[in-house]
Amino acid sequence: MFFDASVAERQLQRTWFKEPCLKIGDVRSGSSLPQCVKLERSELLALHLDGDVVIGGFFPLHYVASDPQYSYKTKPETTSCSGFDLRAFRWMMTMVFAVEEINRNSSLLPGVKLGYQIMDSCDHVHTSLKVLFSLVTVAQTLGPFNIPLVINCLITFNNVSYFATCTCLTDKQLYPSFLRTVPSDLFQVRGLVQLVTFFGWFWVGTIGTTDDYSLYGIQAFSDLFGQQGGCVEFHLTISKSSTVAEIQKIADKLQSSTARVVVVFATEGQLVDLFSELARRNVTGIQWIASEAWVTASRLASPNFHSLLEGTLGFSFPGVSIPGLKEFLLNVRPSPKPGMEFVNMFWEEQFGCVVEKPLCTGLEDLRYVYSSYSDVTKVRISYNVYKAVYAIAHALHTFLNCDSVGPSRGLCEKHSSFSNGQFLTVYMHISVLCVFKGSTECIKCPEYFWSDKEKVKCVAGVEEFLSFYDKMGIILVAITLLGFILTTIITIVFHRFRYTPIVKANNAEISFLLLLSLKLCFLCSLVFIGQPSWWTCRLRQAAFGISFVLCLSCLLVKTIVVLLAFRANVPGSRGQMLFGTSQQRILILCTTAPQICLCTGWVLGAPPFPFRNPNYQIVVECKEPWPPGFYLLLGYIGLLAFACLLLAFLGRKLPDRFNEAKFITFSMLIFWAVWISFIPAYVSSPGNFSVAVEIFAILASSYGLLLCIFVPKCYIILLHPEKNIKKGMTRKCCR
């Protein structure tokens, strides 16, 4: 905000903006206000009004800007902007309306006239910086006492924003003079998290852009969503100048993703290309969750996007009606004369004609054309602009002692000079301008973002997990499938020779159940591979725990059967009679049921959920909110394994070839060796290596059981059938 201290300074300001400039009469009252639009020396368009106090404004009248190319050999070219935004033009004209309304108010700033210097930021940081420096140049032209105070990364100035909701701007130590008439994203994020969790959507994707609004908004959403047990499957980034290939890649990811709920933090102009591509592909079935920046955007409400965006949910600011605004907006008229560039751009966009040629008559009536510009029944962002201008006016009312008594009673005081420590400039703008200021200063990247190779910008981090396509993942899958195939072959062999003595003597029913549980043990390792999701995190430990307990329960029963079979030969023993087929089934059920209850309670009460762990770069893993659940699961498996080992060890020297006790003893020794070494390796393994360690332990112990118990029997069945007779079951046979 520039305060004009003297008549000479005011004259200097008017002279600087004199040519080319066109006075525009007030269409409502017929008065000739000194309002003009001009092309500055820097070739930046500006809408300007002289005043004692000049308010600067940034508005994204265009939403597509080319990235400048710097050769450092020639003067940089002016950034070209395209894609005129009718809604942003309404915001700009609302500022004009508010300033003129305040100037007509004889009690708010009596004797002081507000002016404005409004420019187009093109919704792009480079253009915004150029505009900012242009405005500062104007401030320094006003005189030696009107020096802008420095704030906002490069230069500091009083900043009242109507649209910057980024949570990063709440830090008053970094941004002491930043004010806004719009709430922080923190409140919006809380609402969005409550919205998606209310509908039970715990598996979502996110889309954002490269600006801080998106980066911090997505970060806040992901953090709070994760605390509620939700998981973000992917995050896609739309650059400011996305190529067709980049847009198609994002569209491909959306089509192939399993997450059908997508949260988007972006502005409408940044989403048009992506939504156009998705609409062209006739993509449906995605539930869009919109941030306030685009949830009410009329451009995205066109029929082209109906099938894609139907059912979109989000929060918007409360809509209000501003008296007199609609009439003011409808009375805007174009002109081919210099100084009317912004209005002409709007007119050409609204009516599809060209002002400089006799295609636009200027008599077109805005009352008969519906657009986001003229729809002011319930304005939201426009009202934030309106409030911002009035907030500045009320601050000036206090600062200039407009209620004082004395010689200047009834008028605001006009100071002739100001100290450099006072606020002299208030700029309203939409962008948050921040750059890296050299190698001596480092700005911390948001969570889940890293610096690029040149250390000049933050880029989205690459998520890591044990993928099916990694070398390690491929090897583990191959070993898993080999184990499953071997188990299946052994099952077929046992079924083919089920009536032979060696199969019957080893309790065929329990053997088949044991083979089934080993298949489940091999297959459960596949759930640990791939990107963790809502259902795999809940399934992996439960499937591992239950399948292994079922396997050990079968081994426990087989061991007891062996011991009782030989005890039955002792005179007066009834052990074998008391442990028949029914008792064996009951024991398996009773030993497996506690593990089933534990896993069910764990999954329902404190289920593991996908989590992005930034400690090891960005590793996507399953986080367990109740760590004792995993150790209780392992403890129960260890208890059954110890019981099997103890009983098998006691029966290892029993006679006859069908004695399985010694083979069970060997398998249990392998089992214990694997899992005792697993615990320290699992705890010390970083990132996704801990998952590989657990898979290795599952496969190693499963192979130990399979090879020690069943391979010797298959050896006799297939290679030595002469031993597969009743007499061949004793050691005395075939010596």
Side-chain angles (χ1 to χ4, degrees), residues 209-210 214-216 218-219 235 237 444-451 458-461 618:
T209 57
T210 55
S214 177
L215 295 180
Y216 284 91
I218 292 294
Q219 176 185 333
H235 173 68
T237 301
K444 184 179 179 180
C445 291
E447 191 176 10
Y448 308 129
F449 282 80
W450 306 336
S451 59
C458 296
V459 295
I618 302 179

Side-chain angles (χ1 to χ4, degrees), residues 73-210:
K73 296 179 180 179
T74 59
K75 182 180 178 181
E77 297 180 357
T78 302
T79 303
S80 60
C81 303
S82 60
F84 193 84
D85 192 337
L86 297 177
R87 193 166 64 139
F89 184 71
R90 188 226 300 158
W91 302 341
M92 185 189 78
M93 297 308 296
T94 301
M95 177 178 173
V96 175
F97 169 78
V99 169
E100 293 187 4
E101 191 175 64
I102 292 170
N103 285 337
R104 294 194 305 271
N105 188 332
S106 60
S107 60
L108 185 55
L109 291 175
V112 173
K113 178 184 175 183
L114 289 184
Y116 47 75
Q117 171 78 0
I118 304 175
M119 307 183 78
D120 182 9
S121 70
C122 288
D123 198 17
H124 193 272
V125 66
H126 296 99
T127 308
S128 299
L129 282 171
K130 194 171 184 178
V131 168
L132 173 62
F133 283 123
S134 176
L135 291 173
V136 172
T137 302
V138 175
Q140 294 171 341
T141 307
L142 295 178
F145 298 108
N146 293 54
I147 302 175
L149 206 59
V150 184
I151 308 181
N152 222 15
C153 292
L154 284 179
I155 13 182
T156 11
F157 51 87
N158 287 339
N159 185 350
V160 183
S161 177
Y162 58 90
F163 205 28
T165 59
C166 181
T167 56
C168 58
L169 296 171
T170 58
D171 190 341
K172 285 300 180 183
Q173 291 184 345
L174 293 176
Y175 310 105
S177 65
F178 178 82
L179 304 171
R180 52 185 164 191
T181 57
V182 60
S184 166
D185 276 331
L186 180 63
F187 304 99
Q188 179 185 196
V189 165
R190 290 173 181 171
L192 292 176
V193 171
Q194 292 179 12
L195 176 66
V196 295
T197 55
F198 174 80
F199 287 106
W201 298 328
F202 289 92
W203 182 240
V204 306
T206 58
I207 296 178
T209 57
T210 55

Side-chain angles (χ1 to χ4, degrees), residues 13 53 73 115-116 121 193 197 202 230 235 270 292 302 308 334 442 464 522 533 539 552 571 590 659 680-681 691:
Q13 180 183 2
V53 179
K73 296 179 180 179
Y116 47 75
S121 70
V193 171
T197 55
F202 289 92
H235 173 68
Q270 297 164 335
E292 99 293 334
S302 67
L308 174 67
C442 178
E464 294 187 0
F522 281 114
S533 63
L539 180 62
L552 293 173
C590 291
N659 177 18
V691 178

Side-chain angles (χ1 to χ4, degrees), residues 87 90-91 94 161-163 165 181-183 291-298 314-322 325 370 372-373 375-388:
R87 193 166 64 139
R90 188 226 300 158
W91 302 341
T94 301
S161 177
Y162 58 90
F163 205 28
T165 59
T181 57
V182 60
S291 65
E292 99 293 334
W294 69 277
V295 68
T296 59
S298 59
F315 296 98
S316 65
F317 304 123
V320 299
S321 298
I322 302 178
L325 177 61
Y370 176 81
S372 57
Y373 169 78
D375 183 12
V376 294
T377 52
K378 294 291 182 180
V379 293
R380 296 172 176 84
I381 308 303
S382 297
Y383 185 56
N384 292 338
V385 176
Y386 187 78
K387 290 187 295 183

Side-chain angles (χ1 to χ4, degrees), residues 542-559:
F544 153 66
I546 295 173
S547 59
F548 263 81
V549 164
L550 178 60
C551 180
L552 293 173
S553 298
C554 294
L555 288 178
L556 182 63
V557 169
K558 289 174 76 68
T559 307

